[in-house]
Amino acid sequence: MSRIIGIDLGTTNSCVAVLDEKGVPQTLAQPDGERTTPSWVSWSPQNQITVGSRARRQAVTNPSATVYGAKRLIGRKVNADDVSWFARLAPFRIVAAPNGDAWVRINGQPVSPQEVAAHVLRAVRKVAEDALGEPVTRAIVTVPAYFDDAQRQATRDAGSIAGLDVVRILNEPTAAALAYGAHRVREGRRIIAVFDLGGGTFDISLMSVDNGIFEVLATGGDSALGGEDWDRRILERIVDEVFDQYRVDLTGIPMAMSRLREACENAKKALSAASETTIQLAFLANDQHGAPINYERTLTRDQIDAYTKDLLERLEAPCKRALSDAGLEAAQIEEVLLVGGMTRWPTVQAIVERIFGRKPSKGANPDEVVALGAAQYAGILAGEADDAALLDVTPHDIGIKVGDSAFAVVVPRNSMLPVRARRLFATTSENQTFVTIELWQGDASEDGAAQLKRKLGQVILDDLPTGSAGSVRVELVVTVDVESILSVTARELRTGREASVTIRPSGGLSQREVVEIIARRRRETHSVLSHLSEAGGAVRVTTREHALSEPDDPLPKK
Ligand code: AMP
């Protein structure tokens, strides 16, 4: 049996870890020493694929075929609010697959986010294989706690396409808590908060750990808030200053923008430890007279805080909502764990301390802690590390819509699995012959309005007995098992007539499509290998044909 690796498949960066001989989790580095791989994939016009830092750098010269943030699209419909938001922002095209899923269009070809994620997974798998010197075929992959069934299944499918057997999908906050050793504390039930501010997203999770048993109590966050927003604020400021001083618009000079973006991020990182730094960029662009602009500016931490005041303020509300969802007071949180590179920012840490009334724990490297926890869990599964059990909860409300009625929650979000819920309702018209019950996943807000996210399926109960409106009553039983498989039974109470349906999670790609992508990938690899042997080293990937039909029109751009 090959070793199980732990993979943090991130929105901006991914990381892989494994247990060493002493049973201690270690992240694995690329040959250049980097322990995280940017989750970026770039296609050349000849469909040659690049992943990681090199792909990220190509974003400037090849923006329409360089994809980032595939995690925002995986298992999602194109018309979801935050997908539309991302589509307006992204320089590559996000299109609708025939089933409405969000895909990307690269060099005129539709590509599923599962395939994009598979390229990243394959890259980190290679990092692991090179570092370990042995083949790797099994992995634990982490996902945000709020990922729904479709997003989890789509992540598994990405693993299959990358040649990995995903033995378990693990919640990121659980992985972080494992890495911090929360499962080793044997002193009864403890409540912890995992505060995760990465490059593109902010997630807050409240969990309980009781003698090695983890339970997610509530999740929240802001999927449009992350470290890149801080970089963008600094960048916008400098672009304006350069325009005021030199009357030169840097936004029209891709190479200058790329250098500036990198310099802004580096300055931010430096300022998380120092209070002042200097940005120096020789020959950034030419001024109106053709003379070079040698840009130089000092930047302080206080200035960045002033530019990003509103971003900092957006950290509080999701934490308060998660606390209220879990029915907890901030004072009941016994430990706050920091995850995500942006939590190194001192003002972020100060805000965490203000919200939860205690200093956050900083014992682990926030960029690597999720992968380390996944490796730790791999050890637990393989019996190499201490025992811990994980309990899953439903990440969203599951409810029904009957006829034109409003969404009614049947299984509230954060219900512990397995769960069974019953609901009774009555016909609304005289001699109604049938009733259609639609099952939806959504989030009911405090004011009762529901944001429907995904239709899961429907049950039709027909041949209802005759009777006046309201006299025929139907009982609905919804169960969700530990594998997130949903069963729904509707039963008319007078006759006992019933109809039921079982809904398994689907990531959007059918099993046949996953197998086809794997086969196509094999053909491509074979073609590259034969080309390599013919051409003596030049790598060229043959043009990809696509088994699926063309997607619908792309979303309108801004
Ligand atoms: P992650 O998604 O966890 O890899 O986090 C990446 C984000 O963390 C990026 O926006 C980085 O710029 C940011 N980051 C990494 N190191 C630091 C640091 N020392 N100070 C501030 N932000 C950082």
Side-chain angles (χ1 to χ4, degrees):
M1 276 281 197
S2 72
R3 267 201 252 205
I4 307 175
I5 56 172
I7 300 178
D8 169 11
L9 178 64
T11 308
T12 21
N13 294 301
S14 296
C15 187
V16 57
V18 72
L19 282 195
D20 68 13
E21 309 76 54
K22 298 195 194 88
V24 180
Q26 305 285 353
T27 50
L28 301 172
Q30 300 176 42
D32 63 5
E34 282 299 320
R35 289 182 181 271
T36 57
T37 301
S39 309
W40 291 58
V41 182
S42 188
W43 283 256
S44 74
Q46 295 76 34
N47 283 322
Q48 196 175 321
I49 292 164
T50 314
V51 181
S53 314
R54 277 183 57 209
R56 189 175 182 172
R57 280 195 292 273
Q58 285 180 19
V60 189
T61 47
N62 186 19
S64 63
T66 302
V67 177
Y68 59 88
K71 191 171 172 179
R72 295 183 185 278
L73 306 176
I74 202 161
R76 308 293 314 277
K77 295 290 174 201
V78 82
N79 56 7
D81 280 351
D82 46 346
V83 172
S84 309
W85 162 82
F86 184 52
R88 280 193 294 276
L89 215 90
F92 48 88
R93 291 178 81 184
I94 294 172
V95 295
N99 64 358
D101 279 3
W103 284 28
V104 293
R105 189 193 289 269
I106 302 296
N107 296 338
Q109 294 271 3
V111 181
S112 66
Q114 289 87 323
E115 282 181 82
V116 181
H119 287 299
V120 177
L121 288 173
R122 207 176 286 114
V124 292
R125 175 186 172 197
K126 180 153 186 340
V127 169
E129 289 183 333
D130 289 351
L132 299 170
E134 62 188 44
V136 170
T137 54
R138 297 190 300 156
I140 287 174
V141 181
T142 60
V143 297
Y146 60 78
F147 255 30
D148 67 16
D149 301 339
Q151 291 164 292
R152 285 164 198 262
Q153 186 55 42
T155 305
R156 275 183 191 279
D157 291 342
S160 304
I161 295 168
L164 285 168
D165 171 18
V166 178
V167 292
R168 203 58 67 92
I169 291 280
L170 181 66
N171 284 332
E172 286 162 10
T174 305
L178 283 169
Y180 272 96
H183 58 300
R184 297 216 182 85
V185 181
R186 310 257 178 218
E187 54 180 43
R189 187 170 188 253
R190 292 171 71 244
I191 311 237
I192 56 176
V194 179
F195 185 99
D196 180 350
L197 187 61
T201 54
F202 165 45
D203 297 320
I204 177 75
S205 311
L206 305 178
M207 317 184 61
S208 75
V209 189
D210 190 353
N211 283 312
I213 296 178
F214 288 75
E215 189 186 332
V216 178
L217 304 173
T219 65
D222 185 336
S223 59
L225 182 63
E228 283 161 6
D229 295 301
W230 269 255
D231 307 345
R232 206 172 303 120
R233 284 294 164 82
I234 309 166
L235 181 111
E236 284 165 1
R237 195 46 80 130
I238 293 178
V239 165
D240 286 351
E241 285 172 3
V242 168
F243 186 78
D244 290 345
Q245 197 177 341
Y246 301 96
R247 295 279 137 199
V248 171
D249 180 8
L250 292 179
T251 58
I253 312 170
M255 204 43 86
M257 288 299 279
S258 167
R259 288 179 63 202
L260 195 56
R261 190 169 294 136
E262 212 170 310
C264 290
E265 185 181 1
N266 288 339
K268 176 191 74 177
K269 287 182 182 172
L271 288 175
S272 68
S275 57
E276 189 173 305
T277 190
T278 306
I279 295 183
Q280 272 179 319
L281 290 163
F283 304 106
L284 181 59
N286 286 335
D287 70 11
Q288 284 181 312
H289 313 289
I293 299 173
N294 292 316
Y295 184 78
E296 184 169 337
R297 182 203 204 276
T298 57
L299 195 65
T300 67
R301 191 188 296 162
D302 289 345
Q303 281 170 329
I304 296 191
D305 279 341
Y307 303 160
T308 56
K309 193 163 172 290
D310 58 317
L311 302 179
L312 291 163
E313 281 166 6
R314 279 163 62 189
L315 295 170
E316 185 161 347
C319 298
K320 295 264 167 306
R321 181 171 174 194
L323 282 167
S324 114
D325 276 357
L328 291 169
E329 298 291 332
Q332 290 171 271
I333 306 291
E334 287 158 81
E335 191 171 7
V336 185
L337 310 181
L338 296 181
V339 179
M342 196 59 216
T343 60
R344 291 208 179 89
W345 189 252
T347 320
V348 169
Q349 294 174 7
I351 287 176
V352 174
E353 186 175 343
R354 198 184 70 214
I355 298 170
F356 293 100
R358 64 174 55 245
K359 280 199 183 305
S361 305
K362 289 190 273 179
N365 184 339
D367 301 319
E368 299 175 9
V369 64
V370 170
L372 290 169
Q376 182 87 40
Y377 193 57
I380 291 168
L381 282 185
E384 291 168 27
D386 336 9
D387 260 348
L390 311 179
L391 291 182
D392 262 336
V393 294
T394 52
H396 298 285
D397 291 330
I398 295 172
I400 53 167
K401 264 165 69 81
V402 183
D404 294 331
S405 70
F407 175 70
V409 176
V410 179
V411 180
R413 65 173 171 271
N414 294 322
S415 300
M416 203 193 298
L417 298 181
V419 60
R420 174 188 294 261
R422 288 174 68 239
R423 204 174 177 96
L424 266 185
F425 54 92
T427 48
T428 50
S429 50
E430 195 175 340
N431 292 337
Q432 189 172 332
T433 54
F434 72 97
V435 61
T436 305
I437 303 151
E438 292 181 359
L439 265 111
W440 286 78
Q441 202 162 42
D443 279 324
S445 54
E446 273 141 32
D447 59 9
Q451 204 202 345
L452 298 185
K453 289 234 162 77
R454 181 184 290 276
K455 184 175 167 185
L456 300 169
Q458 65 180 25
V459 202
I460 300 173
L461 185 60
D462 54 13
D463 282 344
L464 293 178
T466 51
S468 56
S471 67
V472 178
R473 297 201 306 152
V474 175
E475 179 196 53
L476 188 77
V477 178
V478 177
T479 54
V480 191
D481 73 8
V482 285
E483 298 286 328
S484 292
I485 295 168
L486 193 79
S487 309
V488 187
T489 303
R491 190 165 65 94
E492 194 280 310
L493 290 182
R494 207 179 326 150
T495 58
R497 184 174 168 73
E498 60 177 48
S500 55
V501 64
T502 300
I503 302 162
R504 285 170 195 283
S506 157
L509 294 177
S510 66
Q511 199 50 40
R512 182 181 63 85
E513 287 164 334
V514 172
V515 169
E516 276 171 3
I517 293 168
I518 296 169
R520 192 183 70 224
R521 178 71 205 167
R522 287 221 180 93
R523 284 200 301 277
E524 283 172 1
T525 313
H526 178 74
S527 128
V528 170
L529 289 178
S530 54
H531 190 84
L532 268 175
S533 56
E534 282 162 24
V539 177
R540 188 175 67 85
V541 179
T542 50
T543 312
R544 297 161 317 110
E545 87 255 18
H546 214 284
L548 296 166
S549 53
E550 278 283 292
D552 299 340
D553 282 335
L555 291 173
K557 288 274 166 190
K558 196 167 46 177

